[in-house]
Amino acid sequence: MQPLPVPCPAHLIPDATGTNAFHDPYRTAMAHNAVFVAVEAEGQHWTVKADTLTAGPGPGRGVTDAVNDAIRTAILRLVDAREVDFGAYTGPVYFMMHGVRDEERARELAAALHAALHEDLEPLSRAVPPASSLR
């Protein structure tokens, strides 16, 4: 398995549903010192997961305050709009959004989160517009 490209098209975001399906993309991310991102089915809903610890230590590998603030704001907008469940993890190392309505939207959000974690906030801005646009 290869690491995800940056930017990553939504259709390439791995489905990590189940223990075995989770381990392959997580180990690949660790082996390549890359950010882990995946979607996972949970009943009729989906979860988006991202972990920056897989990128390893070193300069330029952490999430900047500005990027973390933008991601946190976007996730809280989604919670407020009831697009994701309350209790989402908003970083700065681990990010998770439960209760996404379908796989397509989960992949869109995961790809946008992945781009944001690589300091490209434009996909996140498109995927999660200002609060008034989500309702």
Side-chain angles (χ1 to χ4, degrees), residues 29-101:
M30 283 180 48
H32 293 280
N33 290 326
V35 171
F36 166 79
V37 65
V39 296
E40 181 177 292
E42 290 187 338
Q44 294 180 332
H45 294 97
W46 288 80
T47 294
V48 173
K49 295 181 175 184
D51 186 342
T52 62
L53 288 177
T54 54
R61 297 198 193 250
V63 179
T64 66
D65 289 342
V67 166
N68 193 63
D69 288 345
I71 294 170
R72 180 182 304 113
T73 297
I75 292 173
L76 293 175
R77 282 184 192 147
L78 292 167
V79 169
D80 188 48
R82 294 184 176 90
E83 233 193 293
V84 301
D85 292 343
F86 181 79
Y89 290 78
T90 59
V93 174
Y94 189 69
F95 303 84
M96 188 164 37
M97 295 176 269
H98 293 285
V100 180
R101 70 180 175 260

